Structures are given as C-alpha cells and as structure tokens.
Amino acid sequence: MIDETALTEEAEEALAQLWVTEEEKGVAGLPPDEIAGEDREAALRQLREAGLIEDSPGAVSLTEAGKTAGASIIRRERLAERLLTDILNLGESQVAETACKFEHLLRRGIDDEICTLLGHPRFCPHGSPIPPGECCRAGAHSAEKVISSLADLTPGQAGTVAYIHGRRRELMQRMLAMGVVPGAPIALVQTAPSYVFELGQAQLAVDRETAQDIYVRLAARPRAGRHPSAAGWLTKPIRGLRLRRRRGRQ
Ligand SMILES: [Zn+2]
Ligand SMILES: [Zn+2]
C-alpha cells in the first residue's frame, strides 16, 4: 500500500491528471511536458520513486498501484466538490478553487465518512463519476440510510438536522434564522396537507419542496417500535410558523 500522504500536492495533481487521461479519456499515457504543474520534474520523480508511474518512449503512464492511488485522489476531489456544493452552498467557481485544496485534507478513511454522510453520491456536481469506496460497497447492502431528506421520512422518524441543501440561499437563511441548524433535533410529524416537523419545542410547517431541501441525520431505529421522542408531540396541536414560498421567487 502506497502512503499517499507522503506525496506532494503537485505529485497528487499529476497523478490525478494521468488517471483522468487514462481511465476516463482512454488515452494511454501523456508526454511528460503535458503534465501540469510548476515543478513537474520533481512531481514525476516522486511518482516514479513511489512506483506509481512508469516511462515508455515519449510518455509516462500509470502503474497498477498508480491507478489505485489516482482513483483515490479523484474520489476525494469529487467528494470534496459534492460536500462544498451540497453543504457549504458554494458557487461553481469557488468550488473548483476550493475543492483542489480541500481534497488534500480528505485523507483515506475520512473520505468514506464524508461519502456516507452524503449518501454515497455517484457523481460530482459536474456529472463526473465518483470512484466508489469500501463504504459504497458496504452501503449497498445496508438498508439503513444515514442521511435523508425530510420529505423522505415517515411521520415519527427523528434525527438531527444535517444540512440545508444550498439551492436557495433565501430559504437557507430563513431556516437558519428559525433554528433549523446542523445538529438541531428534528422529528417529522405529518406529511399532508403540508410537512409538519418538530424542532425543539416548536412545530413548523413547510411545503414539499422546502422539506426536500432539509437533510436529516437519522437517529438509530428504536427497538420496540415506539419512537422515544413520539410521546409528547403527537398529541400537541399543530401551531407555530408556517413558511410559504412567495410566488415568482427562487
Ligand atoms: Zn467535478
Ligand atoms: Zn460511499
């Protein structure tokens, strides 16, 4: 197993560039002078010494170990993009810039946690496939979702707010102002005629579109069929703020 943490950022970038060229574009190798980076020679030397690339006349290409390491870098980069887009609400140009830096922080192991948190996304925000990790293979056999949209819960299900999907900045700000913040306990009460949820002591009603944008980290399922937080709120009258989207606004 190659210790990827020992690679410089430039070496990782070169490896990622080679991986995309070979594995996604189907081109066998690159002439060394087409590798991006200011200190290309040093990056290639490091990759060569780590056994991740090999030279053929006029080109460098990935070894088997290089393919594995390259996939891992691309996986982290694209997961970082998803994280920045879905959770931190960054625009496209910011994402491109930040994901590069961020990706280097997502070390092996943490990437699986992020992947699980995001529900094992298969594509980055640009539509490029995210190479699957161990967690995705394990996740495929596990019925329990860790994160789910509020709109997909069944009444009685509870958890904590994971994040607000960043499509609508105005909605996000209103939610934050009302205390719908990451970590706040939340439970779905009913789904019709509107989505009513309990947040702390308050009950709030939102439309389906808004409910779809609120992501909940689910609590472990109760053992005896009765939800621990169900006792109080099922009998309470539904009141509290009602949120409606104004027509014509995004
Ligand atoms: Zn992307
Ligand atoms: Zn996964």
Side-chain angles (χ1 to χ4, degrees):
M1 180 69 53
I2 306 293
D3 180 11
E4 286 164 37
T5 58
L7 295 179
T8 62
E9 279 191 24
E10 286 220 330
E12 285 199 356
E13 286 307 316
L15 200 58
Q17 188 190 352
L18 274 166
W19 190 86
V20 169
T21 302
E22 292 188 19
E23 300 295 300
E24 290 193 323
K25 298 186 183 151
V27 177
L30 276 178
D33 60 4
E34 283 184 28
I35 302 281
E38 279 165 24
D39 200 356
R40 178 195 302 141
E41 278 314 312
L44 291 178
R45 199 180 319 120
Q46 196 186 25
L47 294 176
R48 228 173 253 129
E49 281 164 11
L52 299 174
I53 60 169
E54 58 198 358
D55 297 277
S56 52
V60 288
S61 56
L62 297 172
T63 61
E64 281 309 310
K67 285 178 192 170
T68 307
S72 165
I73 290 165
I74 290 292
R75 168 172 162 76
R76 284 182 274 134
E77 192 170 297
R78 291 178 183 168
L79 279 173
E81 289 175 350
R82 270 257 76 94
L83 185 70
L84 294 168
T85 307
D86 293 357
I87 298 191
L88 299 182
N89 191 27
L90 296 190
E92 210 173 294
S93 59
Q94 283 170 295
V95 167
E97 222 170 78
T98 319
C100 253
K101 298 277 170 222
F102 203 70
E103 168 258 314
H104 299 285
L105 302 176
L106 286 190
R107 291 297 164 202
R108 187 188 291 284
I110 295 178
D111 61 322
D112 280 2
E113 275 177 40
I114 301 284
C115 188
T116 303
L117 173 82
L118 296 171
H120 311 287
R122 294 175 52 219
F123 298 94
C124 82
H126 311 99
S128 302
I130 300 174
E134 285 302 319
C135 61
C136 307
R137 290 180 267 272
H141 304 292
S142 150
E144 300 264 334
K145 262 177 147 180
V146 177
I147 298 269
S148 174
S149 149
L150 185 68
D152 292 335
L153 301 190
T154 47
Q157 269 194 294
T160 54
V161 176
Y163 60 93
I164 314 285
H165 192 284
R167 279 184 297 187
R168 290 179 285 154
R169 196 176 283 274
E170 190 200 336
L171 165 75
M172 177 117 113
Q173 283 163 355
R174 242 176 332 154
M175 288 290 153
L176 295 177
M178 286 176 6
V180 184
V181 292
I186 188 170
L188 185 67
V189 179
Q190 64 176 52
T191 58
S194 55
Y195 283 79
V196 175
F197 62 91
E198 190 189 53
L199 186 88
Q201 299 301 310
Q203 286 198 341
L204 306 170
V206 293
D207 58 20
R208 180 170 170 82
E209 204 184 353
T210 300
Q212 282 171 331
D213 281 353
I214 300 173
Y215 282 81
V216 176
R217 182 193 293 272
L218 297 173
R221 278 189 190 281
R223 268 175 217 132
R226 183 176 161 273
H227 204 278
S229 73
W233 54 260
L234 278 180
T235 54
K236 268 193 241 162
I238 293 161
R239 59 192 154 78
L241 280 151
R242 296 188 88 82
L243 291 175
R244 288 230 178 76
R245 281 184 71 211
R246 275 178 231 153
R247 277 176 204 285
R249 292 270 204 101
Q250 279 302 320

